[in-house]
Amino acid sequence: MKILAIETSGQHAGVAIVDEYITIGEMTLNAKTGEKSWTHSEILMQGVSELFRLTGVNRSHIGYVAYSAGPGAFTGLRIGAATAIGLARGLGVPSVAVPTLDALAYNIFGGIDTVIPMMDARRGQVYFGIYRSNGQQLTLEGNYDALPVEEVLAKIPQGSSITVLGCGADAYKNEIQTIMPGAKFAPQNNNRQRAASIACRAAQMLSAGHNPATTKTELIYVRAPQAVRDLEAKNQ
């Protein structure tokens, strides 16, 4: 079962093809580095085409198209979802919406007790999920949310073994180290959203009985867009 995956929830745009949890090919590009800045919409389809060319995978062998469903950058999420759903329809296969924080947590899945992926949500908050590990799988405790990092860590008993990762963990590293000196930080090579992780998480969801055909496609925004919040504040 080959899965084409798209990740556009942050600055990095990524595409990957994974077969039975084995990455056949993956490309990741940062929109804000290098000699030219670009948007996800400018580079995404070029990346997909190049990935097929380099891997030699036949498009007819793709069984699913997975995409990062949020939380994350609103525009990036919509670009990724629209591209993935369009590709899935063109290929005649189902599309699978994968929660971004789930896939980010699985970047470092192992024997760790608690994994907390954090994405910078601006305005002093992080998007986060708290995942407990039993050595076999990660389980989300509670819901995806956006809170100040102090309130996130207040949910964790002191002395717990935790690993944090993501751009939110980087942005608030000093605060995390002050509140929980024993917190571990993921290595930089696994510290950002990856398309291959989206594909692997999609494969897990499908193996567990997830049926894309009966699932309503929705992006996970967690909180309203900034323009909506500003309008609500003005009206109040």
Side-chain angles (χ1 to χ4, degrees):
M1 176 182 63
K2 291 183 175 64
I3 298 175
L4 170 65
I6 289 175
E7 164 55 61
T8 55
S9 63
Q11 286 190 8
H12 295 74
V15 294
I17 297 175
V18 171
D19 185 11
E20 298 294 339
Y21 304 104
I22 297 173
T23 301
I24 298 175
E26 181 177 19
M27 298 175 63
T28 303
L29 295 170
N30 191 322
K32 303 302 181 183
T33 60
E35 298 180 1
K36 178 186 181 297
S37 293
W38 39 262
T39 64
H40 293 327
S41 58
E42 291 177 303
I43 200 69
L44 195 53
M45 283 305 299
Q46 294 183 51
V48 172
S49 297
E50 190 67 6
L51 186 64
F52 276 114
R53 184 185 72 82
L54 291 172
T55 60
V57 172
N58 192 306
R59 287 168 173 74
S60 65
H61 294 167
I62 297 297
Y64 297 90
V65 180
Y67 61 94
S68 184
F74 295 157
T75 301
L77 291 174
R78 290 192 288 267
I79 290 170
T83 302
I85 292 170
L87 285 168
R89 288 177 179 172
L91 294 170
V93 301
S95 59
V96 183
V98 177
T100 306
L101 290 167
D102 286 11
L104 183 56
Y106 272 86
N107 277 8
I108 56 168
F109 174 59
I112 301 166
D113 291 335
T114 303
V115 178
I116 309 177
M118 299 180 181
M119 299 167 61
D120 192 357
R122 310 298 182 187
R123 293 205 165 190
Q125 295 185 333
V126 293
Y127 298 121
F128 74 96
I130 298 174
Y131 296 81
R132 306 292 186 183
S133 172
N134 62 7
Q136 301 297 321
Q137 63 181 4
L138 287 174
T139 303
L140 176 67
E141 183 178 89
N143 300 311
Y144 313 112
D145 206 347
L147 290 173
V149 71
E150 296 85 355
E151 294 184 32
V152 176
L153 296 180
K155 298 175 178 289
I156 309 299
Q158 284 293 328
S160 298
S161 176
I162 71 168
T163 295
V164 295
L165 73 159
C167 59
D170 285 349
Y172 297 97
K173 186 172 184 177
N174 291 337
E175 290 88 338
I176 294 170
Q177 290 178 322
T178 298
I179 298 169
M180 298 197 77
K184 307 179 189 71
F185 290 79
Q188 288 301 312
N189 61 306
N190 278 331
N191 198 37
R192 290 294 186 273
Q193 301 93 293
R194 291 183 54 192
S197 293
I198 291 291
C200 289
R201 180 58 183 146
Q204 291 175 329
M205 292 166 59
L206 293 165
S207 295
H210 175 75
N211 184 355
T214 61
T215 303
K216 184 178 179 181
T217 299
E218 291 183 345
L219 294 176
I220 304 169
Y221 290 124
V222 174
R223 65 183 189 188
Q226 185 63 49
V228 174
R229 298 200 304 273
D230 288 345
L231 179 61
E232 291 175 347
K234 181 180 179 181
N235 291 337
Q236 290 174 1

